[in-house]
C-alpha cells in the first residue's frame, strides 16, 4: 500500500512537471521555486485569459490579421506620403506591445501562476528582452524607413524599461531601435503629449497600435458607449491613417468595461457583461 502511494505520488509529480511550462522564469530558479499551484488552481484564477491568449498564440487567423494590417499600413503609408501639401517631414507613430512585440508568453505565465498583472513581474519579463516580433511588424518599420518616413515608437513601457526594450527590438531588426526614436512613459499613460512632441518637427501620416488610445486622445475616455460612437465618427480614418491590430487579451477596451461592471470578481463581472439571447 505504502509503495502504491509513493508510486502514485511520483506519477502525479511527473504529470505536473510535464504540463507546467512557465515561460517567464526559465532562467530564474527562485521564481521556479514558487510554482506550487496545480494547473487547475492556476487556470481557475486567470481563466478569462486562456482563450484570448491561445487565440493570439495559436490561431492562423491572428497571423493573417497581422499580415493584413501591416500590408494595409504599407499601402496607406505610401499613399499618404505621396500627398504633396506637407510642410514637415513625414513620420509614423507606432505602439510597441502587442503591436510590434508579442508578450503573450507573459500572459500565459500569468495563467500558470494565477497572478494578475503587476509591474514587478512585467519588468522581469521586459528585462529578459525575449519578446518575439509580431507577423509583418519588423518588415513594416523597415519599409517605412526605406521610404524616408521617420519611425517613432510611442509606448507605455516606462523609461526605466528603455534599455532592454532597445536591446530586444534592435536584435530583431526593427528600424530606429534607439533612444531618440522611443517615446516611453514618464508620468502619464496618455500619449497625446508625446505625439505632440513628434509633431513639432514631423507630420505624423500614420498611427499604428492595438489600443485605440495609441492613435488618438479621443479614445482615452470612452464614455458609456465604450468608444463606439467615436469609432463610427472616425470610420474613414481606419485603414487610411489609423491601423488597429487585434488584442483580445487586455487593453483599454477591457479596463473600461470592468470599471462599471457589477460583480465582486473579474470573472463574475465578465460573465454578467455577456450579451445573451
Ligand atoms: Mg500595445
Amino acid at each position: 500500500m505504502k509503495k502504491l502511494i509513493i508510486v502514485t505520488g511520483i506519477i502525479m509529480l511527473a504529470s505536473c512537471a510535464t504540463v507546467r511550462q512557465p515561460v517567464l522564469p526559465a532562467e530564474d530558479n527562485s521564481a521556479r521555486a514558487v510554482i506550487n499551484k496545480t494547473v487547475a488552481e492556476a487556470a481557475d484564477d486567470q481563466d478569462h485569459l486562456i482563450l484570448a491568449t491561445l487565440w493570439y498564440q495559436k490561431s492562423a487567423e491572428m497571423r493573417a490579421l497581422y499580415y493584413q494590417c501591416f500590408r494595409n499600413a504599407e499601402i496607406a503609408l505610401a499613399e499618404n506620403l505621396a500627398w504633396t501639401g506637407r510642410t514637415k517631414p513625414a513620420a509614423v507613430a507606432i505602439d510597441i506591445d502587442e503591436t510590434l512585440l508579442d508578450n503573450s508568453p507573459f500572459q500565459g505565465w500569468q495563467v500558470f501562476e494565477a497572478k494578475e498583472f503587476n509591474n514587478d513581474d512585467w519588468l522581469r519579463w521586459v528585462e529578459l528582452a525575449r519578446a518575439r516580433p509580431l507577423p509583418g511588424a519588423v518588415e513594416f518599420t523597415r519599409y517605412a524607413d526605406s521610404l524616408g518616413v521617420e519611425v517613432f515608437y510611442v509606448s507605455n513601457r516606462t523609461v526605466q524599461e528603455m534599455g532592454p526594450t532597445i536591446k530586444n527590438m534592435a536584435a530583431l531588426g526593427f528600424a530606429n531601435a534607439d533612444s531618440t526614436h522611443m517615446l516611453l512613459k514618464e508620468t502619464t499613460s496618455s500619449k497625446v503629449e508625446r505625439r505632440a512632441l513628434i509633431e513639432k518637427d514631423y507630420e505624423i501620416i500614420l498611427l499604428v497600435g492595438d489600443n485605440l488610445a495609441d492613435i488618438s486622445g479621443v479614445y482615452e475616455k470612452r464614455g458609456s458607449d465604450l468608444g463606439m460612437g467615436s469609432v463610427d465618427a472616425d470610420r474613414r480614418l481606419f485603414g487610411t491613417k489609423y491601423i488597429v491590430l487585434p488584442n483580445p487579451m487586455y487593453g483599454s477596451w477591457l479596463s473600461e468595461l470592468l470599471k462599471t461592471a457589477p460583480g465582486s470578481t473579474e470573472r463574475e463581472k465578465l460573465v454578467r457583461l455577456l450579451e445573451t439571447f
Side-chain angles (χ1 to χ4, degrees):
M1 185 62 186
K2 197 176 174 186
K3 255 186 190 170
L4 181 66
I5 292 170
I6 293 169
V7 169
T8 308
I10 290 169
I11 290 170
M12 284 173 70
L13 281 172
S15 66
C16 287
T18 53
V19 293
R20 284 185 193 142
Q21 298 171 329
V23 177
L24 177 56
E27 292 165 11
D28 182 345
N29 289 330
S30 63
R32 261 189 190 159
V34 301
I35 299 169
N36 54 12
K37 296 184 176 71
T38 67
V39 170
E41 284 169 345
D44 214 32
D45 283 356
Q46 292 286 297
D47 62 354
H48 56 282
L49 275 177
I50 295 175
L51 196 59
T53 306
L54 278 177
W55 181 85
Y56 203 78
Q57 295 179 337
K58 306 288 187 190
S59 73
E61 283 78 1
M62 176 277 190
R63 195 168 187 79
L65 277 170
Y66 270 75
Y67 283 135
Q68 179 176 288
C69 289
F70 281 118
R71 178 66 189 131
N72 190 172
E74 287 178 1
I75 295 166
L77 189 72
E79 281 183 4
N80 296 348
L81 192 62
W83 186 64
T84 53
R86 232 179 8 263
T87 55
K88 296 174 187 170
V92 289
I94 316 178
D95 172 55
I96 294 178
D97 293 313
E98 276 51 74
T99 296
L100 302 174
L101 292 182
D102 177 359
N103 301 291
S104 66
F106 178 73
Q107 301 294 126
W109 181 83
Q110 279 183 260
V111 174
F112 267 94
E113 289 294 292
K115 289 184 84 172
E116 290 182 5
F117 179 90
N118 71 77
N119 289 327
D120 291 342
D121 288 336
W122 170 252
L123 183 59
R124 287 200 299 132
W125 161 250
V126 168
E127 284 179 341
L128 291 175
R130 201 195 282 166
R132 299 301 306 154
L134 284 157
V138 172
E139 295 82 352
F140 172 70
T141 67
R142 294 169 79 98
Y143 175 75
D145 187 54
S146 76
L147 295 183
V149 177
E150 204 74 9
V151 177
F152 286 100
Y153 302 106
V154 185
S155 164
N156 279 341
R157 286 189 174 208
T158 64
V159 287
Q160 290 79 15
E161 294 163 354
M162 178 83 81
T165 301
I166 290 174
K167 181 183 169 192
N168 196 159
M169 292 180 65
L172 295 172
F174 282 102
N176 293 355
D178 57 57
S179 58
T180 55
H181 293 86
M182 216 159 272
L183 289 85
L184 304 187
K185 178 178 164 184
E186 291 187 49
T187 52
T188 173
S189 295
S190 169
K191 296 183 173 180
V192 171
E193 286 176 19
R194 281 171 275 165
R195 284 195 293 267
L197 264 180
I198 297 170
E199 285 170 330
K200 280 185 179 173
D201 300 311
Y202 297 89
E203 184 174 325
I204 298 174
I205 62 170
L206 195 77
L207 299 106
V208 187
D210 66 300
N211 189 322
L212 287 168
D214 295 329
I215 57 179
S216 169
V218 166
Y219 296 106
E220 287 179 8
K221 292 210 171 17
R222 300 201 177 196
S224 57
D225 76 342
L226 302 172
M228 303 292 182
S230 299
V231 167
D232 287 346
D234 282 347
R235 72 180 72 188
R236 296 185 66 80
L237 294 172
F238 293 106
T240 54
K241 189 175 181 187
Y242 300 162
I243 302 291
V244 183
L245 296 147
N247 180 1
M249 300 178 291
Y250 67 89
S252 301
W253 71 270
L254 182 58
S255 49
E256 286 288 315
L257 202 55
L258 291 171
K259 260 183 205 165
T260 54
S264 54
T265 65
E266 197 160 301
R267 188 185 185 283
E268 189 184 350
K269 290 179 178 188
L270 292 170
V271 171
R272 285 193 186 183
L273 283 162
L274 288 170
E275 291 177 23
T276 64
F277 69 90

